[in-house]
Amino acid sequence: MSGVNGSMAHLSDGLFTTAIATYTLAMVGYTAEYAFGRVGRTAAEKAAAPRRQLVGAGGPSVDAPGPSITRPAKRPMAEKIGRLSVAITALGLLVQLASLTIRAVAVDAVPWSNMYEFASVAGLVAVISFLVVMWRAPQIRHLGGFILLPVVLLMFLAGTVLYSEAQPLVPALQSYWLAIHVVLISISEGALMTSAVMTVLYLIKSRHDRLAVVAAAATASSADGTTVVPRRGPLTNLAERLPSAQTLDKAAYRIVAFSFPLYTVAVICGSIWAEAAWGRYWGWDPKETWAFIGWVIYACYLHARATAGWKGNKAAWINLLGFSSITFNFLIINLVVSGLHSYAGIS
Amino acid sequence: KNGEPRTFRADLTYRPEPDAAPRKYALTVNNPLRLDGDRVYLISHGYAPTVTVRMPDGTSRTETQAFLPTDASTLYSEGAFKLLGKPNQSQDVGISGFFAPTPGLGASGLVTSVSADVKNPILGMFVYIGAINPNGTPESVYRLTTSGLKQIGKPTNLVIGQTKTFPNGIAITFDGWKPWVSLQVSHDPTQGYLLIAAAAMVIGLALSLGVRRRRLWIRIAPARTGEHGSPTVVTVGGLARSDSGNFTAEFSSLLDRLRSVTADEGAEHVASETDDHVGAVSVGSGKKD
């Protein structure tokens, strides 16, 4: 393997696997905080808080509201685990960054010239997006498991099915545009993955809220004053512990508002590179076409979110449609459809 | 060294004008030659084998023909030679063949190429005699239409310098090979304008997402028109576009400020409703308008 530092490539692969393990550990921690933490417990236990009864000396019990019994024992522990998980996530981030940097040194090129490296960068950005959103809105910390799950799956896929040996850049990719176009695409798509996860959680919470409203209305209008409780489905436990639907929707939107212009610039850079390499700035190559489709769908999402009647759930579904098209573009177009863009690195 | 190409480069000598001095340029995949608004691109490359054929009438001809790669990574190529003899004699010689730059045995036992590098290449051929394309219909230079032709001899694989002799006195020698490149010349005068338009679009997009547009309407009217001493009703409405959800909170805090200011002056708060990004509040004031 001339031109490739074999031992560094090996080290890079080892660090990649370590990063996956670290993220998985953090995932376990987040899930623990999610299940046992204050946010979760408070929401689930509100209705069940027992009340003390005042007992007069020798007299009948007086039903007066006393302070509700609090259960402080588990909460600080869960929060500690949550904070520890953030630290572990940051550690995993550093390990993954090291893996990419050493891989770059090993092949003497930027570390995003095939599907394996690209997926690693996208996963890195997804985690960074989550950390940034969490820094602005700390109440979503316990959702880390939901973000890390697709990241770990993506990295696992990258390290197995999509993996390619470290090798020198193919001639078509020997251009400074590789550093610009591909990294912008992977940053914007990594962030959009985090937005998609937020959107899924938003849809769950939104449905939960709607059912609660329906139940409350039924309670208010019930003839004999019975309390109507919404039916508990498989996602109810999950939904009770989620932050407000508005928080999730806001987080998802903000990520798209950041990523969409970046994605636009990335596609334009790709066109400029296509002009230098293939003689035309746009040729409806399958990858170009699908990049455009994804762009249009996310533009629809931004419009929908500002349009009465389309805000909320409908816009959320458009977000997920956009992310599906990006995933389709990444997996199917690279591997199945043949076009000018086949630099997947997979033989 | 592992058979993968490191770089594709065509060293060109060109003249920007017919009477200008020649200049040199190294054309590579990502660096086209840009001349006064036109561009020359290096699109692909391949091999053109050379053969010498002794025709049935005794004359010898040497021809080089570009073969087209069917496999991009190993440059296993296919093509044809069409050597026309005297007209109406059905003495044309046609060769339909393949060129394997670095030969190896494929899965089916047939010769294939294992690398795009040229190492002891093999020219494999089927040789035909007859009238090639008697009607002059347009056809591909890379493919020989064999209907109406008679195959002579068995399919043969030759290495460089090897000769195969056929009946009728036909002898074919594989002399060697030359590389070929294919170039594309492009002309698009609107490109530059499109780039400017794209940049403008991105700037507009960033502004539309970054600049927060919020509107407030405040209507101040007497509660009962024409009546002396009727309280004043202040109605406030707000609308935000492309906002990230902060406007609701902002609007509420604005209303609170308004309420606290008017409360100082003895106002009475009647009703308030907020609904998404459009909110309204009526504040009754005891003052005369």
Side-chain angles (χ1 to χ4, degrees):
Chain A
M1 281 198 294
S2 72
V4 171
N5 190 324
S7 57
M8 295 208 89
H10 198 67
L11 175 63
S12 161
D13 293 344
L15 287 172
F16 184 79
T17 317
T18 309
I20 296 182
T22 314
Y23 285 145
T24 311
L25 188 64
M27 216 163 67
V28 171
Y30 285 121
T31 314
E33 191 199 4
Y34 187 83
F36 305 120
R38 199 177 111 234
V39 179
R41 292 287 265 204
T42 308
E45 288 177 352
K46 235 185 255 185
R51 292 149 164 259
R52 281 207 220 114
Q53 275 193 322
L54 296 178
V55 179
S61 58
V62 176
D63 196 8
S68 46
I69 299 172
T70 57
R71 294 179 209 196
K74 279 196 170 136
R75 287 180 215 158
M77 179 56 140
E79 213 176 284
K80 269 192 227 159
I81 292 178
R83 287 175 193 277
L84 183 64
S85 302
V86 174
I88 296 177
T89 308
L91 178 67
L93 204 67
L94 289 174
V95 172
Q96 195 184 3
L97 199 59
S99 157
L100 280 167
T101 313
I102 292 177
R103 172 101 172 180
V105 171
V107 303
D108 194 30
V110 283
W112 45 77
S113 62
N114 51 60
M115 279 179 89
Y116 157 69
E117 294 168 0
F118 180 91
S120 183
V121 175
L124 189 85
V125 174
V127 174
I128 292 176
S129 307
F130 169 69
L131 290 177
V132 168
V133 172
M134 189 183 61
W135 176 56
R136 305 289 291 267
Q139 66 265 34
I140 67 161
R141 180 178 62 230
H142 60 297
L143 300 180
F146 295 105
I147 305 292
L148 284 184
L149 182 64
V151 169
V152 166
L153 287 176
L154 176 68
M155 287 175 72
F156 184 75
L157 196 69
T160 53
V161 173
L162 304 178
Y163 184 75
S164 63
E165 296 285 339
Q167 54 191 276
L169 270 182
V170 296
L173 295 179
Q174 287 166 12
S175 161
Y176 55 86
W177 283 112
L178 177 66
I180 303 168
H181 162 66
V182 179
V183 78
L184 288 180
I185 290 274
S186 70
I187 289 175
S188 46
E189 291 190 358
L192 287 173
M193 179 158 81
T194 305
S195 175
V197 173
M198 294 287 170
T199 305
V200 168
L201 298 176
Y202 163 78
L203 284 170
I204 294 172
K205 183 73 180 188
S206 162
R207 181 167 180 275
H208 175 80
D209 289 347
R210 232 176 325 122
L211 290 179
V213 165
V214 166
T219 305
S221 64
S222 70
D224 51 358
T226 49
T227 309
V228 178
V229 174
R231 192 169 52 90
R232 296 187 71 86
L235 293 173
T236 307
N237 267 328
L238 194 92
E240 276 171 353
R241 287 161 165 74
L242 288 173
S244 76
Q246 200 197 27
T247 310
L248 292 167
D249 183 50
K250 240 203 264 186
Y253 171 80
R254 282 208 171 127
I255 294 176
V256 175
F258 159 76
S259 307
F260 186 73
L262 206 62
Y263 184 69
T264 311
V265 171
V267 171
I268 291 174
C269 286
S271 303
I272 301 175
W273 187 7
E275 191 273 357
W278 301 329
R280 85 287 182 280
Y281 52 81
W282 193 267
W284 301 108
D285 178 67
K287 192 139 197 110
E288 291 172 340
T289 306
W290 278 93
F292 175 64
I293 291 173
W295 187 85
V296 169
I297 297 177
Y298 275 107
C300 289
Y301 167 74
L302 291 173
H303 277 285
R305 227 179 146 281
T307 306
W310 280 86
K311 300 186 216 207
N313 278 19
K314 286 189 189 158
W317 284 109
I318 297 178
N319 184 326
L320 293 183
L321 189 69
F323 187 67
S324 321
S325 81
I326 285 189
T327 306
F328 179 83
N329 200 3
F330 176 63
L331 289 175
I332 309 296
I333 299 292
N334 267 345
L335 298 173
V336 177
V337 177
S338 76
L340 292 167
H341 250 104
S342 313
Y343 305 119
I346 298 158
S347 43
Chain B
K1 281 196 191 117
N2 63 345
E4 294 289 329
R6 303 286 306 272
T7 185
F8 297 123
R9 197 181 77 207
D11 292 310
L12 305 178
T13 307
Y14 70 98
R15 276 196 267 247
E17 315 271 319
D19 47 356
R23 292 190 217 164
K24 289 199 189 302
Y25 188 79
L27 187 64
T28 62
V29 173
N30 286 301
N31 281 305
L33 174 62
R34 293 183 190 272
L35 296 167
D36 198 23
D38 293 337
R39 299 152 277 137
V40 179
Y41 293 87
L42 178 61
I43 299 299
S44 63
H45 73 292
Y47 299 109
T50 309
V51 295
T52 302
V53 178
R54 194 171 70 230
M55 303 287 287
D57 61 2
T59 56
S60 242
R61 297 233 282 266
T62 303
E63 284 213 0
T64 305
Q65 189 71 351
F67 274 27
L68 289 186
T70 56
D71 183 319
S73 55
T74 66
L75 289 185
Y76 174 89
S77 315
E78 290 175 353
F81 289 91
K82 299 173 193 174
L83 298 129
L84 303 181
K86 295 209 183 80
N88 298 324
Q89 296 265 342
S90 289
Q91 299 263 316
D92 306 331
V93 177
I95 303 174
S96 171
F98 69 84
F99 179 83
T102 306
L105 276 181
S108 47
L110 297 176
V111 174
T112 181
S113 175
V114 297
S115 163
D117 236 352
V118 184
K119 283 197 202 86
N120 305 317
I122 282 182
L123 178 68
M125 39 191 207
F126 296 77
V127 185
Y128 299 84
I129 192 167
I132 293 177
N133 196 9
N135 302 321
T137 46
E139 61 176 29
S140 163
V141 282
Y142 304 107
R143 249 207 319 265
L144 180 69
T145 316
T146 54
S147 61
L149 299 177
K150 197 177 69 135
Q151 185 174 350
I152 56 174
K154 285 203 291 275
T156 320
N157 293 343
L158 296 178
V159 295
I160 295 184
Q162 204 178 347
T163 305
K164 167 91 177 174
T165 316
F166 295 88
N168 325 21
I170 295 173
I172 299 181
T173 312
F174 175 28
D175 295 324
W177 56 274
K178 291 192 184 130
W180 57 260
V181 290
S182 81
L183 303 175
Q184 172 184 304
V185 180
S186 299
H187 173 74
D188 187 345
T190 64
Q191 264 184 192
Y193 300 110
L194 183 65
L195 184 61
I196 294 171
M201 177 186 81
V202 172
I203 292 173
L205 181 65
L207 286 175
S208 84
L209 287 174
V211 172
R212 304 183 54 209
R213 290 161 290 169
R214 298 155 289 177
R215 286 180 284 182
L216 279 178
W217 293 267
I218 304 178
R219 176 188 285 160
I220 306 169
R224 296 179 284 278
T225 51
E227 209 181 282
H228 210 56
S230 77
T232 307
V233 177
V234 177
T235 315
V236 184
L239 183 65
R241 290 236 177 271
S242 79
D243 108 288
S244 55
N246 265 335
F247 186 63
T248 315
E250 231 181 359
F251 187 76
S252 306
S253 72
L254 194 80
L255 287 185
D256 290 339
R257 264 175 61 197
L258 194 61
R259 285 197 192 104
S260 67
V261 163
T262 51
D264 292 345
E265 309 186 24
E268 180 192 303
H269 299 122
V270 177
S272 73
E273 288 163 26
T274 52
D275 169 43
D276 272 334
H277 300 137
V278 177
V281 118
S282 291
V283 174
S285 158
K287 285 197 314 185
K288 279 204 235 182
D289 56 309

